Amino acid sequence: MASNEVLQAFVQAATQGSFSAAARKLGKSQSTVSAAVASLEIDLDVVLFDRSSRKPTLTPAGHVLLQRAEQVLEASSRLELAASQLSQGLEPKLTIAMSDTYQSDRFEIALKAFEQRHPDLELECLIAECEDLIALVQSGRAQIAFIEKQDTYPPDLTGAPVEERTEIALFAAPTHPLAKLKNIPAQTLQQHRELRLASIINPTETRPSGRVWSAPSYLMLMEMAQLGFGWAPIPRWLVERFGGDHLVELKARSWPRSVAVDALWSRHHPPGPAGSWLLGKMLE
């Protein structure tokens, strides 16, 4: 049976689009990734990639087996999580990192049950966004994170969908020039300053063109919008709870947007028994 390391090489080569990109993602040499994929093809007696062009592309069989490989890796990660719960003693502290995108009735209910189950365990909650959340989990600073769903995660992390969704809309101060407009096109939005979320570790990675102010939290963006400095995409629950009458929702095309949320944990620093229990409640 293929090892997780070999399956990771295959999955990353497929999702990253090349063996060299997969090697960079996994921190390995290109020859190691190529050899791992070749050995998997021999073991399965199936050609996974068409190598006739400059970049390898998945064969029809490769597309089918990619889904199976991802399922095996996810099952393996869940097995490791269960083994951690069974073999380790109760952790003295659990750190959860959350995005302000996510306001969850499920989490509040789970937390009340968690407090009854582990009254002496220290619980720490951190607020972060985007890459900062990922970095907290990768480093082991946080054992669990709840993050706006990303297209891909680093290979050492496992993401699983939480049933609840959230909604992000565009907001500005009532006195902002955009506040009285309807069906606002993207070109009109670009003529005014955007207040944009930016992570601490990669503050300019996704910076758009035009006038932009940025901050690492939605609460800071909301305060800047209330002061009339620009318009901002902000989770609706945050504005409803803390924005009061100081913000109005902009009637812009393609907004508001429904956002899926993932639970995230590390295969290298998995949650202990208490964290695993809470994670299981959130994924029920």
Side-chain angles (χ1 to χ4, degrees), residues 99-104 108 166-168 171 218-219 222 234-243:
S99 165
D100 270 331
T101 302
Y102 185 50
Q103 190 276 330
S104 167
E108 293 174 1
T166 190
E167 193 172 72
I168 294 180
F171 294 91
Y218 281 114
L219 276 173
M222 186 171 68
I234 306 173
R236 185 185 297 281
W237 79 267
L238 205 61
V239 174
E240 290 176 349
R241 182 170 296 185
F242 302 110

Side-chain angles (χ1 to χ4, degrees), residues 62-262:
H63 278 288
V64 173
L65 293 177
L66 173 62
Q67 297 178 4
R68 300 293 183 268
E70 290 173 332
Q71 291 170 359
V72 170
L73 290 172
E74 182 178 353
S76 176
S77 181
R78 289 184 180 273
L79 176 65
E80 291 171 358
L81 189 64
S84 171
Q85 183 174 7
L86 292 171
S87 65
Q88 296 180 20
L90 184 68
E91 65 270 39
K93 178 181 178 179
L94 174 65
T95 299
I96 300 172
M98 301 185 70
S99 165
D100 270 331
T101 302
Y102 185 50
Q103 190 276 330
S104 167
D105 293 335
R106 180 190 293 262
F107 181 71
E108 293 174 1
I109 293 170
L111 209 56
K112 290 178 181 178
F114 180 88
E115 192 273 336
Q116 294 295 318
R117 187 181 181 92
H118 303 293
D120 298 322
L121 186 144
E122 180 183 353
L123 178 69
E124 179 185 27
C125 291
L126 304 175
I127 297 296
E129 304 294 345
C130 307
E131 294 94 342
D132 295 336
L133 277 171
I134 291 174
L136 286 170
V137 178
Q138 278 191 301
S139 67
R141 177 66 178 82
Q143 290 75 56
I144 302 170
F146 296 98
I147 184 173
E148 180 177 337
K149 182 177 178 60
Q150 309 291 302
D151 292 334
T152 61
Y153 296 107
D156 57 323
L157 301 184
T158 297
V162 177
E163 186 175 339
E164 296 167 304
R165 297 178 70 90
T166 190
E167 193 172 72
I168 294 180
L170 301 187
F171 294 91
T175 56
H176 194 280
L178 295 174
K180 299 187 184 306
L181 301 182
K182 295 182 179 180
N183 198 24
I184 306 169
Q187 297 92 327
T188 302
L189 286 174
Q190 291 172 1
Q191 295 171 10
H192 299 266
R193 181 184 294 117
E194 178 182 359
L195 307 175
R196 185 178 179 85
L197 195 68
S199 64
I200 294 173
I201 61 173
N202 289 312
T204 61
E205 184 176 357
T206 58
R207 183 180 295 279
S209 59
R211 293 185 295 169
V212 174
W213 285 11
S214 61
S217 79
Y218 281 114
L219 276 173
M220 293 180 69
L221 292 183
M222 186 171 68
E223 289 178 353
M224 289 193 288
Q226 289 172 336
L227 292 170
F229 294 135
W231 59 269
I234 306 173
R236 185 185 297 281
W237 79 267
L238 205 61
V239 174
E240 290 176 349
R241 182 170 296 185
F242 302 110
D245 298 327
H246 303 292
L247 290 173
V248 295
E249 183 176 345
L250 301 182
K251 307 302 182 183
R253 297 176 187 174
S254 303
W255 292 89
R257 296 177 180 174
S258 178
V259 176
V261 176
D262 278 350

Side-chain angles (χ1 to χ4, degrees), residues 6-14 37 40 48-49 58 62 65-66 69:
V6 168
L7 293 178
Q8 283 281 7
F10 168 45
V11 169
Q12 290 301 317
V37 173
L40 182 61
L48 300 172
F49 288 96
L58 283 172
L65 293 177
L66 173 62

